[in-house]
């Protein structure tokens, strides 16, 4: 019974995610496509479990090669230590470069924690445009842990809403008041891939061949992927 409830409820949720974010994706994709056409890289950051969504875009068969992730080796353990997110972003900047005019997707379900907020602030200072991927509903019910007083979606230039429930669980269990069945990962993965599809459409309109990765399990893919990556030497977090 619980699995059927989860399946049906998430189907409705993902439809809502698509419809609610469609206009923002269509507004944003031409700008990202132009940045990529100009040789730019798209960056991602997610602290804790949110890092999974950022990693989904990096070195992914069927995805853009020009995506690079800021990684937190603590797994989000100290994401509320002020200053840590800024140091993460600065180290990444030294190693791979955060360049004016590029885009970064910062992922945080609650939008309240220090690390994603500081990464977003650092990126904006460097002249990047920030895309927040968050639960707007949850963000409106919690308080930021950062002394600056702002939530992630209040800092960002663009906002994707994963439409998640408070606490990121959607199915009420047999014991009333207890919930299971998270949705933020599947909704986030859908959103970033919808964005990539729209970017690919826009690159086609610009007459630009998309720097698209092929599955390494297909003939000639490794060589083709490495050739693509040469254009981004030193800028990608995942070597090819």
């Amino acid at each position: 019974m619980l699995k059927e409830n989860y399946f049906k409820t998430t189907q409705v949720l993902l439809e809502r995610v698509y419809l609610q974010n469609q206009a923002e994706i269509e507004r944003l994709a031409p700008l990202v496509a132009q940045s990529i056409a100009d040789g730019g890289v798209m960056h991602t950051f997610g602290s804790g479990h949110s890092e999974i969504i950022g990693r989904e875009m990096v070195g992914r068969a069927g995805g853009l090669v020009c995506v690079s992730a800021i990684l937190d080796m603590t797994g989000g353990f100290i994401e509320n230590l002020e200053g840590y997110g800024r140091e993460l972003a600065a180290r990444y900047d030294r190693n791979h470069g955060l360049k004016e005019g590029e885009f970064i997707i910062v992922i945080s379900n609650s939008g309240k924690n220090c690390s994603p907020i500081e990464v977003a602030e650092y990126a904006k200072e460097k002249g990047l445009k920030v895309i927040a991927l968050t639960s707007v509903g949850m963000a409106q019910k919690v308080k930021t842990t950062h002394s600056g007083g702002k939530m992630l979606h209040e800092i960002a230039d663009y906002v994707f809403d994963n439409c998640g429930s408070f606490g990121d669980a959607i199915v009420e269990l047999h014991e009333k008041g207890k919930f299971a069945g998270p949705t933020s990962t599947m909704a986030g993965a859908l959103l970033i891939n919808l964005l990539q599809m729209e970017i690919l459409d826009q690159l086609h309109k610009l007459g630009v061949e998309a720097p698209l990765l092929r599955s390494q399990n297909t003939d000639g893919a490794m060589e083709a992927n490495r050739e693509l990556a040469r254009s981004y030497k030193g800028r990608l977090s995942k070597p090819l």
Side-chain angles (χ1 to χ4, degrees):
M1 178 175 133
L2 290 177
K3 74 176 187 302
E4 288 81 5
N5 190 351
Y6 182 61
F7 178 67
K8 291 175 182 176
T9 307
T10 53
Q11 281 185 306
V12 173
L13 175 77
L14 293 179
E15 179 75 12
R16 181 182 166 201
V17 167
Y18 172 75
L19 293 173
Q20 189 153 319
N21 292 280
Q22 186 170 235
E24 190 78 328
I25 289 170
E26 291 176 358
R27 180 168 79 103
L28 176 60
L31 305 177
V32 181
Q34 187 61 62
S35 173
I36 290 171
D38 294 338
V41 168
M42 184 158 53
H43 311 270
T44 72
F45 175 75
S47 181
H49 206 79
S50 294
E51 187 173 283
I52 294 171
I53 302 167
R55 283 179 179 263
E56 165 68 9
M57 295 184 78
V58 178
R60 185 71 164 89
L64 293 161
V65 70
C66 50
V67 185
S68 182
I70 302 173
L71 301 176
D72 177 5
M73 295 300 122
T74 75
F77 183 67
I78 55 174
E79 67 181 354
N80 281 314
L81 176 65
E82 286 207 27
Y84 178 66
R86 178 168 287 274
E87 288 302 316
L88 269 181
R91 183 181 65 179
Y92 173 90
D93 187 19
R94 290 191 297 271
N95 290 337
H96 302 292
L98 290 166
K99 297 188 177 182
E100 185 175 359
E102 293 182 338
F103 290 78
I104 182 169
I105 303 174
V106 181
I107 307 136
S108 172
N109 189 55
S110 68
K112 69 190 279 288
N113 296 314
C114 292
S115 284
I117 288 169
E118 290 182 351
V119 169
E121 288 177 337
Y122 182 96
K124 289 196 78 166
E125 290 165 14
K126 294 289 293 189
L128 283 79
K129 296 296 184 182
V130 174
I131 307 161
L133 201 169
T134 188
S135 167
V136 175
M138 184 165 178
Q140 291 170 342
K141 294 178 181 177
V142 296
K143 292 183 179 180
T144 181
T145 60
H146 195 267
S147 60
K150 289 188 176 181
M151 303 291 288
L152 176 62
H153 74 278
E154 295 173 322
I155 296 166
D157 301 288
Y158 303 89
V159 178
F160 291 159
D161 186 358
N162 68 26
C163 302
S165 300
F166 186 80
D168 194 22
I170 205 166
V171 175
E172 188 168 18
L173 303 184
H174 306 291
E175 305 92 338
K176 293 293 183 184
K178 291 185 178 181
F179 290 82
T183 62
S184 61
T185 303
M186 66 171 72
L190 174 66
L191 280 166
I192 60 172
N193 282 301
L194 288 172
L195 175 62
Q196 286 198 99
M197 294 303 105
E198 191 66 21
I199 291 169
L200 292 170
D201 259 342
Q202 295 298 323
L203 287 171
H204 177 71
K205 289 177 183 178
L206 291 171
V208 175
E209 185 176 355
L212 201 62
L213 285 169
R214 293 162 52 187
S215 169
Q216 65 183 24
N217 299 309
T218 59
D219 291 342
M222 288 297 290
E223 295 77 12
N225 290 343
R226 286 170 182 164
E227 183 61 34
L228 273 177
R230 285 193 183 97
S231 301
Y232 302 97
K233 187 174 181 180
R235 302 218 58 210
L236 303 180
S237 58
K238 183 176 179 178
L240 293 172

